Amino acid sequence: MQENNLKTEELADVLGQLIKDLRRNISQSSLDNLAISFGISKGSLSNIENGTNNVKFVTLWKLSEALGIRCSDLVKLLEERLGEEFTLLDD
């Protein structure tokens, strides 16, 4: 079970960094501006980017729209960063 928690933390960290990179490089938006367009507080978005919040799928979908990309593209980028070997399920 401990390993699964570490995997969940890794997923949240990688997702947060990906969102931060997309915000900075693609949307060229500040944390404030993206939070406003996403409809959440700056603190909540910061927690997502820092990997301290597990993101619900509906939140991920809205966030991808605020970033100007399709949710499926965001998931593909996340999968690429995590690598083919990454899984949340124990063998």
Side-chain angles (χ1 to χ4, degrees), residues 5 8-10 15 19-20 26 33 37 39-40 43 47 49 54 66 68 70 75 81 87 89:
N5 289 341
T8 302
E9 289 174 14
E10 179 184 359
L15 176 60
I19 291 168
K20 185 182 294 185
I26 292 177
N33 289 342
S37 67
I40 63 169
N47 287 339
E49 288 188 355
N54 287 326
R70 295 175 52 104
V75 171
R81 287 198 180 189
T87 179
L89 299 177

Side-chain angles (χ1 to χ4, degrees), residues 36-60:
I36 290 167
S37 67
F38 180 46
I40 63 169
S41 71
K42 178 181 172 182
S44 293
L45 180 55
S46 179
N47 287 339
I48 292 170
E49 288 188 355
N50 290 322
T52 57
N53 279 4
N54 287 326
V55 181
K56 294 180 182 179
F57 186 76
V58 68
T59 302
L60 189 63

Side-chain angles (χ1 to χ4, degrees), residues 3-5 11-12 16 24 27 33-34 39 42 57 68 79 81-82 84-85 88 91:
E3 186 174 334
N4 196 18
N5 289 341
L11 177 63
R24 290 178 175 168
S27 73
N33 289 342
L34 184 60
K42 178 181 172 182
F57 186 76
E79 288 176 325
R81 287 198 180 189
L82 288 169
E84 289 184 24
E85 300 299 319
L88 289 174
D91 293 335

